[in-house]
Amino acid sequence: MGSRYYDASTGRFLSKDTVKNGYFFASSEIYTNPVYIDDLATIIYKVIDKERYGIFNVGGAGWLNYFQIAKILAEIFELDAQKIIESNDMDKKIRIP
């Protein structure tokens, strides 16, 4: 079973299982802006070099959906990208309190 949101008060999962029978379902409707390691290293260097302190929020330059990210990770880690299934079906039963 993959990582899912669970509501202990109802005893039910709020999202679909993302792994089923060895396949990974990745949404093409949810976007994020990942930070690549080279960019993160540059940011850390600048923070140290300029002697800055505090909390920093770092975002990448572009936007990718979870399906695109899963495909990139599969290539990097030499995983079977054919087992990544694009999911467009947002669970309509999820209620946000």
Side-chain angles (χ1 to χ4, degrees):
M1 177 177 359
S3 176
R4 301 191 286 170
Y5 292 105
Y6 179 76
D7 184 348
S9 66
T10 63
R12 300 186 65 144
F13 285 102
L14 300 176
S15 57
K16 295 179 181 180
D17 192 356
T18 56
V19 177
K20 189 172 187 178
N21 297 328
Y23 288 87
F24 178 77
F25 295 87
S27 174
S28 61
E29 297 177 341
I30 302 172
Y31 284 79
T32 188
N33 59 340
V35 178
Y36 294 97
I37 193 68
D38 292 342
D39 296 334
L40 184 58
T42 300
I43 293 165
I44 292 170
Y45 173 78
K46 288 179 180 180
V47 167
I48 293 169
D49 186 53
K50 296 186 183 288
E51 298 181 7
R52 301 288 187 210
Y53 301 94
I55 299 172
F56 298 89
N57 182 15
V58 178
W63 291 87
L64 298 173
N65 64 43
Y66 284 9
F67 177 70
Q68 292 167 319
I69 292 170
K71 289 288 194 174
I72 291 169
L73 291 174
E75 182 180 334
I76 291 170
F77 292 104
E78 298 178 358
L79 302 173
D80 185 1
Q82 299 299 321
K83 296 216 173 227
I84 301 170
I85 307 298
E86 184 174 3
S87 171
N88 302 2
D89 184 22
M90 296 297 286
D91 190 348
K92 307 294 188 230
K93 296 178 184 176
I94 297 175
R95 287 182 288 133
I96 300 173

